[in-house]
Amino acid sequence: MIYIGATNNLFRRIEEHKNRINPTSFTAKNHLDKLIYFEYFENIDDAFKREKQLKNWHRDWKFNLIKEKNPNFDEINLNDLF
């Protein structure tokens, strides 16, 4: 399963998902708490546009996009990147 969302603080958002802050959310119910792909945008409006675009893509297209950058679907540790 894939979850797509936009945030202004990726570190915080990941912790919220890992700790299931909202136990009734889609991510909590489906145990989605691993970051395997992300895109960075300077402008939040651009991020929301991209989020909407990706949510309309076919599942295979999303998987192919992820595979380009992360072929093994390994969890990304942001502390290693920033």
Side-chain angles (χ1 to χ4, degrees):
M1 218 172 258
I2 296 176
Y3 166 77
I4 296 172
T7 182
N8 64 355
N9 186 329
L10 189 54
F11 289 94
R12 176 186 45 85
R13 186 66 170 266
I14 291 169
E15 285 304 309
E16 290 173 355
H17 289 305
K18 286 192 176 294
N19 294 313
R20 296 189 177 95
I21 297 300
N22 181 357
T24 61
S25 70
F26 176 82
T27 57
K29 288 179 186 176
N30 293 286
H31 305 284
L32 301 176
D33 64 359
K34 292 179 178 50
L35 178 68
I36 59 169
Y37 179 86
F38 71 96
E39 295 178 8
Y40 176 80
F41 294 88
E42 289 284 337
N43 182 306
I44 193 68
D45 291 330
D46 292 338
F48 287 136
K49 287 176 192 172
R50 179 64 167 162
E51 175 189 14
K52 187 174 182 173
Q53 178 189 41
L54 290 174
K55 285 184 174 183
N56 286 315
W57 279 18
H58 295 281
R59 182 179 174 89
D60 289 342
W61 298 355
K62 295 172 195 175
F63 276 110
N64 288 334
L65 177 66
I66 296 165
K67 284 182 200 176
E68 287 178 20
K69 301 282 184 185
N70 187 355
N72 297 321
F73 290 75
D74 295 324
E75 183 171 10
I76 297 170
N77 183 340
L78 292 178
N79 293 318
D80 292 341
L81 300 175
F82 297 99

